[in-house]
Amino acid sequence: MSKYLITGGAGFIGSTLANRVAKENEVVIVDDLSMGDKENISGLGEKDNLRFIEGSVTDQSLMTGLLQEEQFDYIYHLAAIASVADSVARPVETHVVNFESVLSLLELCRKHQKSLKRLIFASSAAVYGDEPTLPKQEESVIRPLTPYAVDKFAAERYVLNHCHLYGVPTSAVRFFNVYGPNQNPKSPYSGVLSILTDRYEKLLNGKDSSFTVFGDGQQTRDFVFVEDVVDALLLISDSQAALGNVYNVGTGEATSLNQVLDIYRDFLDTEISVEYTAGREGDIPRSYADVDRLKGLGFEPKFDVKTGIQAYLKQTLNR
Ligand SMILES: NC(=O)c1ccc[n+]([C@@H]2O[C@H](COP(=O)([O-])OP(=O)(O)OC[C@H]3O[C@@H](n4cnc5c(N)ncnc54)[C@H](O)[C@@H]3O)[C@@H](O)[C@H]2O)c1
């Protein structure tokens, strides 16, 4: 049995990870519930060795106390204000969570976590910005265009340097477009598939519902199913080769929004009304990952975009 700390563990990716590992391990979650929901981990109880701490990763005394008292085998730092738009609106506030909490955590690990096997930090494909070369390789040009992306990149570098300079065992991941159950559709900037699923749910329940596409729908993304993301995290956690390294986490395939709409229509046998409006400023037209580095560790995604969306809809809409 190992001991895990998952910050942001009530959120989308964190709760999926917690649900996977809590059956056989001890898990501590720190989440301020600003975006996450305890419901996401409600299937876990005391018997699963889960300890939930409602608090902020920016709370120095909380985090210091926790890392002084407990020795973790694995730490996943997923807590963040994951909205790019929010970071543009509130760069100072989001910086405290998205950057400062990471550096503090690294320092606490350096001082107190002597038996840590791995700390993994969640960075983002946003660090590549709008530089057009595809697919994105880990060594591609980095052009972070928003406070969110700048913080992710700076934090990621500190994370990797703490391995090289001080021997803290770290790795970082750059998630592409993750989708799956428990993704919160409430913000207009949430993952596009969670919004589309939410609109379809309303439609299937007999309510008026439509979906807005910004631009012509030909923009592409690398959509990766959350269970594959958890596989990647667990693989990296135990790989010696991954120490001090950063990994793209995607499928290596580009899918357009229009293709996604077709997959939903065909699987649900229902067509939602789609409104095409002007593209959003700053939206990147095409993006997908080169995942050769991750595959070099033995990763193979189990879901392509079609089977992943089908699994997602089966679970979320009971189809
Ligand atoms: N979902 C994606 O496609 C994607 C893509 C790239 C990077 N990421 C990164 O992956 C991580 C997880 O993302 P997610 O999609 O699960 O988002 P999410 O919003 O569902 O999860 C983030 C969690 O962090 C919590 N949180 C926010 N501020 C906090 C604070 N100060 N203290 C404690 N908890 C706090 C939120 O309540 C939420 O539960 C984030 O770091 C995000 O930036 C996600």
Side-chain angles (χ1 to χ4, degrees):
M1 193 187 254
S2 298
K3 196 165 191 173
Y4 288 69
L5 169 62
I6 306 176
T7 73
F12 164 46
I13 299 170
S15 66
T16 311
L17 174 66
N19 281 305
R20 180 88 73 88
V21 298
K23 298 286 169 207
E24 286 167 7
N25 299 284
E26 234 178 294
V27 176
V28 177
I29 287 176
V30 176
D31 197 302
D32 69 354
L33 299 180
S34 54
M35 196 59 162
D37 190 341
K38 270 184 101 171
E39 195 54 34
N40 293 341
I41 43 170
S42 61
L44 303 174
E46 290 302 318
K47 65 177 177 6
D48 298 309
N49 303 304
L50 175 76
R51 179 175 158 209
F52 179 79
I53 301 171
E54 184 173 345
S56 175
V57 290
T58 62
D59 181 337
Q60 273 298 328
S61 69
L62 167 72
M63 295 303 286
T64 305
L66 182 64
L67 287 139
Q68 273 175 346
E69 277 161 28
E70 312 243 19
Q71 289 295 312
F72 295 101
D73 296 295
Y74 300 99
I75 298 178
Y76 297 86
H77 191 45
L78 304 177
I81 299 178
S83 159
V84 171
D86 206 1
S87 82
V88 174
R90 303 186 302 136
V92 177
E93 292 89 336
T94 57
H95 176 74
V96 177
V97 182
N98 292 352
F99 176 77
E100 287 178 12
S101 79
V102 187
L103 184 52
S104 309
L105 180 60
L106 287 168
E107 285 294 275
L108 288 171
C109 288
R110 180 152 83 103
K111 285 188 199 119
H112 306 299
Q113 296 294 303
K114 298 302 176 200
S115 56
L116 185 65
K117 295 191 179 108
R118 195 65 51 92
L119 177 150
I120 297 193
F121 170 67
S123 181
S124 166
V127 302
Y128 297 114
D130 63 355
E131 201 283 325
T133 313
L134 290 170
K136 293 299 175 198
Q137 296 177 323
E138 288 84 353
E139 304 307 326
S140 292
V141 170
I142 297 294
R143 196 182 283 168
L145 298 173
T146 58
Y148 173 80
V150 171
D151 281 337
K152 285 293 186 191
F153 187 60
E156 174 198 306
R157 292 294 108 181
Y158 270 95
V159 165
L160 302 181
N161 285 350
H162 262 64
C163 183
H164 304 307
L165 296 173
Y166 312 115
V168 180
T170 61
S171 305
V173 284
R174 293 180 185 153
F175 293 143
F176 279 66
N177 287 67
V178 188
Y179 66 93
N182 294 346
Q183 191 168 26
N184 189 338
K186 282 187 192 128
S187 145
Y189 296 94
S190 292
V192 62
L193 296 202
S194 68
I195 297 175
L196 180 57
T197 305
D198 181 63
R199 300 300 180 270
Y200 255 107
E201 187 167 20
K202 291 198 171 85
L203 184 68
L204 296 170
N205 287 331
K207 294 186 188 140
D208 255 1
S209 186
S210 64
F211 181 70
T212 304
V213 171
F214 297 97
D216 60 7
Q218 293 302 338
Q219 61 269 51
T220 59
R221 293 290 181 270
D222 189 331
F223 294 104
V224 56
F225 192 51
V226 67
E227 295 295 345
D228 280 330
V229 168
V230 170
D231 282 350
L233 289 172
L234 297 176
L235 182 69
I236 291 168
S237 309
D238 283 325
S239 158
Q240 283 308 303
L243 272 173
N245 267 323
V246 61
Y247 292 85
N248 284 338
V249 178
T251 62
E253 301 289 333
T255 306
S256 75
L257 208 42
N258 288 334
Q259 287 172 309
V260 164
L261 286 164
D262 289 347
I263 295 171
Y264 272 69
R265 183 201 55 213
D266 292 349
F267 184 68
L268 297 171
D269 210 8
T270 311
E271 187 146 15
I272 197 161
S273 127
V274 178
E275 190 195 340
Y276 289 88
T277 63
R280 282 194 298 213
E281 206 179 331
D283 264 358
I284 292 159
R286 295 170 68 224
S287 159
Y288 74 101
D290 180 317
V291 286
D292 281 357
R293 191 181 277 186
L294 186 57
K295 285 187 169 176
L297 300 181
F299 175 76
E300 201 51 61
K302 294 196 181 85
F303 296 86
D304 61 25
V305 69
K306 192 168 165 190
T307 55
I309 288 175
Q310 291 175 350
Y312 173 29
L313 296 177
K314 272 184 204 153
Q315 278 188 59
T316 307
L317 305 180
N318 293 320
R319 290 277 155 168

